Amino acid sequence: MRDAAWERRGAWGGVAQAGAFGRAGAAGVTARLRDGFALASVIAAAGGEAALSRALEARFGLSPPARPRCVEANGHALIWSGPGQWLLRADQRAGFAATRAALEPFAAVSDQSDARAGLRIGGPRARDVLARGVMIDLDPRAFAVGDVAMTSIAHVNLHLWRAQDDGDPTYELLVPRSLAASFWSWFAASAAQFGCAVSGAPD
């Protein structure tokens, strides 16, 4: 009996695919499957937040937010995840090992690149879809661009933040990779009423 071959697969592989589903016509919701990004948890050393801040500002132009916010610059995002704790996301994995090494004198840095599935949700009905499951107030007056929440949808814990948009509200999500299928099942059922266009074909 021949051993089964191990193949690398993206976080959304076998879960979601590019295309459209739900109501016909103009899509009320867009979903971009994010893959290939690098991610690390960054926890400042005791008494070392100032040094870590200087290192991040020098390398990426990012100032670590002290409250639930996300800041972005130069292809990187720094996402608050607790006092003195952040997630650092890079659009590309190339060179990320050097990035982690540069921060290790100032923080505990742990690679999480293969642990999370990323999704960008936008469109005129994006907030309506998320409001069906998220347990926070997404009104723009309560959840502004850059605001971050650690919450859950359909019993799936996730990081959620509001991204910069061109008119329609746009949100970024990170969910545990092992629960990506469960989250997508909820999302697909919730977005179908409005029509959803999916981009970013997974591996």
Side-chain angles (χ1 to χ4, degrees):
M1 181 177 178
R2 190 172 66 178
D3 292 338
W6 289 92
E7 296 181 2
R8 182 177 179 84
R9 187 169 71 174
W12 296 109
V15 174
Q17 60 185 8
F21 64 84
R23 191 192 67 184
V29 183
T30 61
R32 179 178 154 202
L33 307 173
R34 283 194 172 274
D35 213 348
F37 60 86
L39 187 73
S41 62
V42 180
I43 303 175
E49 286 192 39
L52 175 62
S53 180
R54 288 192 295 270
L56 287 164
E57 289 176 352
R59 193 172 185 89
F60 307 115
L62 292 173
S63 180
R67 60 188 183 90
R69 296 280 295 171
C70 172
V71 293
E72 299 186 59
N74 304 311
H76 291 76
L78 199 58
I79 308 145
W80 184 93
S81 59
Q85 303 179 42
W86 303 268
L87 289 175
L88 175 64
R89 188 186 70 182
D91 290 343
Q92 304 293 330
R93 294 194 181 190
F96 199 61
T99 293
R100 297 197 315 270
L103 298 178
E104 285 172 354
F106 317 104
V109 184
S110 176
D111 194 298
Q112 302 290 321
S113 300
D114 292 317
R116 308 288 181 95
L119 186 67
R120 185 180 179 93
I121 299 174
R125 305 307 295 269
R127 182 156 61 99
D128 296 313
V129 171
L130 291 175
R132 292 181 167 185
V134 76
M135 296 182 289
I136 60 173
D137 184 359
L138 295 176
D139 186 282
R141 293 167 295 182
F143 200 68
V145 171
D147 281 352
V148 171
M150 298 173 69
T151 183
S152 65
I153 291 177
H155 305 291
V156 176
N157 293 330
L158 65 127
H159 243 102
L160 167 71
W161 66 99
R162 187 171 169 203
Q164 189 65 51
D165 56 63
D166 296 322
D168 293 328
T170 303
Y171 304 91
E172 295 268 6
L173 297 88
L174 289 172
V175 303
R177 181 177 177 139
S178 60
L179 296 175
S182 295
F183 176 83
W184 187 259
S185 178
W186 171 86
F187 174 76
S190 299
Q193 175 187 349
F194 309 113
C196 184
V198 184
S199 62
D203 295 331

